Amino acid sequence: MKRRIEMLTIDGLTIEYSVVGTGEPILVMHGGHSNCREEFGYEVLVENSYMMITPSRPGYGGTSKEIGESLSLACEYYSKLLEHLHIDKVHLVAISAGGPSGIHFAATHPHQVQSLILQSAVTKEWLTPKDIEYKAAKVIFRPNVEKYTWKMISMMNNAFPSFIFQQMFPSFSKLKYKDATAKFHQNDVEAIRKMNNRQRSGEGFMIDLEQVNKVSEQELQAIKCPTLIMHSHHDGSVSLDHPYFAHEHISSSELSLLDTWGHLIWIGAAAGETNNRLLSFLKAQRLK
C-alpha cells in the first residue's frame, strides 16, 4: 500500500497524519502504542475503494503531546484536519485505546461523522492505578524508557518470532494457547512480528492512561449516527463489558461479536468474518 505521511501545524501545534487509498474517506483513531503507520485492517478497505486517513493521536508519532490536553482539544484538531483535507464527512473507525477519541468525536462533531465503527474498543473504565497492568505500563512505557522497551521486544521478536507470539498471546486472548491453535492463520506470527517492529508509545500511552476512563454514558447516548460495535468473544485485552456497555447506551448501534482468537480481530482464521461484516456495514452507510 502506498502511504502518504504529512504534517499539519495549527496554532503552533503539529498533527501528523497518513493517507492511504482513494474513495470514501475513513478516519481512523488508532489504538495504543500505534501511530499513523498502522496497518491492521487497511488492505481490504483500500482494495474496496476506501481512503484511510489516520492521524497519529497526541503524543504518538509526530503529533504534539499538547494536543492531548483533553479529548475535546484533540477532537478539535481532528476536525480541523478534515477541513484542511476538504472532507465534509467520514466513516469513523476507533480501535482499542482509541475508542474514547472516536466516541468523543462522534458525540461532539456529528456533522462530520457518517457512521462509527468501534473495533475492540475501550468504551468505559479500563485500566486504573490499582491494576497491575497500569502499574507495569507506567514503568516500561514511560517516555524515557519506551523506545528501549520496544527495541528489545522487536529484536527478540525478529530473532524468535514463534516464541514471542506464544509469549504475547495471553495478553490478547482469554483462550488457552492449545485451544486457540485452530483459530490461527499461517500469517499470524509474521503479523505480530511486523506489529512489534512498528509499535512505539512515545508520550501517547501515558496520555491514554489518563484519558481512557473519561468516557461518560452521556457521550455514548449523544451518538446518533449508525454504529457498528465489533469485538471478539475471546478478547483478553478489553473485556466484553465494553462492547455490551456501548451497545446499551448508543441507541443506533448494532453489536457484532466475532469468533477471532482475540483482541486483534484483523488476523487469524476468522479475519474474513471481520472484513465481511465491516464492508457490509459500510456499504449500507454510503456517503450521499
Side-chain angles (χ1 to χ4, degrees):
M1 294 182 297
K2 185 177 180 181
R3 184 183 301 260
R4 186 177 91 246
I5 297 177
E6 305 281 353
M7 299 285 190
L8 174 64
T9 300
I10 303 169
D11 299 329
L13 299 179
T14 299
I15 185 165
E16 176 189 49
Y17 67 95
S18 67
V19 178
V20 182
T22 58
E24 285 199 27
I26 297 176
L27 180 67
V28 180
M29 302 295 182
H30 64 74
H33 311 296
S34 186
N35 50 58
C36 69
R37 293 162 179 81
E38 182 55 74
E39 295 180 6
F40 281 139
Y42 282 49
E43 187 173 0
V44 68
L45 291 169
V46 171
E47 289 175 352
N48 282 272
S49 300
Y50 290 96
M51 176 172 62
M52 312 294 289
I53 304 157
T54 311
S56 293
R57 293 192 293 106
Y60 288 108
T63 296
S64 302
K65 65 178 182 179
E66 292 81 4
I67 293 175
E69 176 184 309
S70 66
L71 287 173
S72 294
L73 180 61
C75 286
E76 287 302 317
Y77 273 79
Y78 303 141
S79 177
K80 291 175 181 177
L81 171 61
L82 295 181
E83 291 173 2
H84 169 74
L85 295 172
H86 305 291
I87 294 174
D88 296 326
K89 217 166 193 180
V90 295
H91 303 287
L92 177 59
V93 173
I95 300 167
S96 193
S101 298
I103 289 166
H104 192 85
F105 191 82
T108 58
H109 294 74
H111 61 289
Q112 292 180 297
V113 180
Q114 175 74 4
S115 67
L116 171 64
I117 300 98
L118 298 174
Q119 295 187 320
S120 307
V122 173
T123 67
K124 59 191 288 295
E125 186 177 83
W126 186 42
L127 298 180
T128 66
K130 69 177 183 295
D131 296 317
I132 189 169
E133 295 90 348
Y134 180 100
K135 294 172 183 176
K138 278 286 192 177
V139 175
I140 65 175
F141 297 126
R142 67 182 189 269
N144 61 340
V145 171
E146 60 86 22
K147 66 179 178 180
Y148 303 108
T149 298
W150 286 112
K151 183 66 173 177
M152 180 179 66
I153 291 172
S154 63
M155 287 177 62
M156 288 290 291
N157 205 162
N158 291 337
F160 309 104
S162 295
F163 173 74
I164 295 300
F165 177 84
Q166 189 165 352
Q167 293 302 303
M168 295 189 75
F169 176 81
S171 67
F172 295 125
S173 180
K174 295 187 297 182
L175 293 170
K176 292 182 179 179
Y177 189 85
K178 62 181 179 62
D179 296 329
T181 54
K183 298 182 183 296
F184 295 158
H185 186 275
Q186 61 183 2
N187 295 333
D188 288 357
V189 171
E190 177 64 4
I192 294 296
R193 188 194 69 80
K194 287 181 177 179
M195 179 191 77
N196 283 332
N197 276 268
R198 65 175 179 263
Q199 299 276 71
R200 284 293 301 272
S201 307
E203 304 203 45
F205 198 64
M206 294 299 103
I207 296 172
D208 282 348
L209 288 179
E210 297 303 315
Q211 293 185 350
V212 290
N213 298 327
K214 293 184 177 179
V215 176
S216 67
E217 291 182 15
Q218 289 74 25
E219 278 185 311
L220 291 166
Q221 291 165 355
I223 295 172
K224 303 304 180 187
C225 65
T227 300
L228 176 63
I229 303 165
M230 309 182 74
H231 218 94
S232 171
H233 282 287
H234 312 297
D235 196 320
S237 300
V238 179
S239 73
L240 283 170
D241 292 344
H242 290 260
Y244 283 124
F245 186 78
H247 184 45
E248 177 184 355
H249 293 288
I250 302 175
S251 61
S252 56
S253 68
E254 51 185 292
L255 178 60
S256 180
L257 295 180
L258 306 163
D259 195 37
T260 58
W261 56 257
H263 187 63
L264 305 175
I265 61 174
W266 314 271
I267 64 176
E273 178 189 358
T274 300
N275 295 336
N276 291 338
R277 185 68 194 87
L278 176 57
L279 288 171
S280 175
F281 176 80
L282 287 170
K283 287 174 183 175
Q285 309 303 330
R286 284 194 181 279
L287 288 161
K288 301 295 188 280

